Amino acid sequence: MTDIETVLALNTITKTYGKTTALKDVSLSIKKGEIVGLLGPNGAGKSTLFQIAAGLFAPDGGSVNVFGMTYQGQAAQILTRLGVVFQARAIDLDMTVIANLRFHAALFGLGGKSAEARIADVAALLEITDLIKKPVRTLSGGNQRRVEVARALLNKPDLLLMDEPTVGLDPVSRQLVVRHIRDVRDRNGTTILWATHLIEELAGADRIIMLRTGEIIQEGTPAELLARAGAATLTDAYIALTGAPEVEATPA
Ligand code: ADP
Ligand code: MG
């Protein structure tokens, strides 16, 4: 990779599980500071793409480049600069918010005053400062998700990967999480790849990549997709461009 502005590059990625082809020749490239929405129905391959981008496993074919490095060569250097929010909730419900955040800060070698200062920063950014002493279990689903996003920011990641961060949330909580995610990029210049099956969530993304049955079927800015489809809403554009109404619109 020669382009220093490219943060994540997937080159002709293929991944199969037995007879299922989860990803087929997928290539994408994300530039510094971009918010890219990865849109697709269940089973499209979003989580598989995420896990490969996060270095959890290697693709069967193709290559992955993050910050100009590869997981084969420099996994540790990549991981210190990566923030990940998984699709399944991954947070200790019995611990308080701050205990969760301290534990993860420690995993990044942060302790003492520098950890406390960093925790205060991410809590302020996600507006969870008032919740910090509560057990996670007592928080709403939306607030639990905000804690997870805060946690993913403890190491000041240059690249934030989020797999359906709003899944299971009510519309108001979803909007809040979406807004906070945008704040993260606007304030810190973080590059963000964000998977969702809810197209209206991606109105504020810089670019949308549509994935279906393991293949990229459309790609462009929200405005480009609307123009290409001659549609008034992203939902209409998705249906027009793919002929498939299987991505849910965000309920009003
Ligand atoms: P998405 O996140 O878009 O819903 P996934 O990446 O989870 O899509 O799944 C893509 C395809 O791969 C689906 O057909 C799914 O059933 C299959 N798949 C995903 N993970 C596994 C696995 N561990 N074993 C077998 N099949 C899997
Ligand atoms: Mg998934």
Side-chain angles (χ1 to χ4, degrees):
M1 190 173 69
T2 52
D3 184 353
I4 198 154
E5 288 290 299
T6 301
V7 168
L8 172 68
L10 304 184
N11 308 300
T12 60
I13 294 291
T14 298
K15 172 73 189 169
T16 58
Y17 299 103
K19 285 184 184 151
T20 306
T21 301
L23 295 173
K24 189 176 167 194
D25 272 343
V26 169
S27 297
L28 59 85
S29 152
I30 300 181
K31 287 199 186 318
K32 195 170 182 309
E34 258 193 316
I35 299 183
V36 174
L38 182 68
L39 176 71
N42 287 335
K46 303 182 297 297
S47 292
T48 302
L49 189 153
F50 257 81
Q51 287 159 336
I52 288 170
L56 290 172
F57 52 78
D60 298 330
S63 64
V64 183
N65 218 290
V66 192
F67 313 123
M69 299 182 276
T70 66
Y71 285 108
Q72 287 81 10
Q74 295 131 302
Q77 286 102 306
I78 294 173
L79 292 176
T80 57
R81 296 172 59 189
L82 205 62
V84 181
V85 177
F86 293 106
Q87 179 168 355
R89 203 158 293 161
I91 190 161
D92 191 301
L93 294 175
D94 293 321
M95 280 169 30
T96 61
V97 172
I98 193 149
N100 268 287
L101 294 177
R102 280 183 184 140
F103 177 77
H104 281 269
L107 291 180
F108 285 106
L110 281 176
K113 282 190 183 149
S114 54
E116 297 310 309
R118 188 64 197 141
I119 289 169
D121 282 352
V122 297
L125 187 58
L126 273 296
E127 296 185 277
I128 53 169
T129 306
D130 293 346
L131 307 174
I132 208 130
K133 295 206 169 108
K134 298 193 178 200
V136 172
R137 188 182 295 286
T138 64
L139 307 185
S140 68
N143 286 335
Q144 290 183 8
R145 263 323 206 186
R146 281 151 77 181
V147 173
E148 284 195 275
V149 176
R151 184 183 63 187
L153 296 174
L154 283 168
N155 60 328
K156 296 190 182 167
D158 294 316
L159 174 62
L160 182 59
L161 302 173
M162 292 188 298
D163 193 356
E164 307 223 26
T166 59
V167 79
L169 302 185
D170 63 79
V172 173
S173 306
R174 198 153 58 215
Q175 265 180 10
L176 264 177
V177 170
V178 168
R179 203 192 75 213
H180 283 116
I181 290 166
R182 229 170 282 151
D183 283 351
V184 168
R185 192 281 305 271
D186 293 346
R187 294 193 200 171
N188 302 337
T190 313
T191 307
I192 297 175
L193 179 64
W194 172 1
T196 181
H197 63 280
L198 298 167
I199 190 164
E200 301 295 352
E201 257 178 40
L202 297 177
D206 297 316
R207 199 147 55 87
I208 296 174
I209 296 174
M210 294 180 183
L211 194 69
R212 197 171 57 178
T213 52
E215 294 184 272
I216 293 176
I217 51 172
Q218 287 284 341
E219 182 184 345
T221 65
E224 282 167 358
L225 295 176
L226 290 176
R228 206 175 295 160
T233 68
L234 284 171
T235 304
D236 290 344
Y238 180 81
I239 294 168
L241 291 170
T242 66
E246 62 212 281
V247 168
E248 291 169 39
T250 307

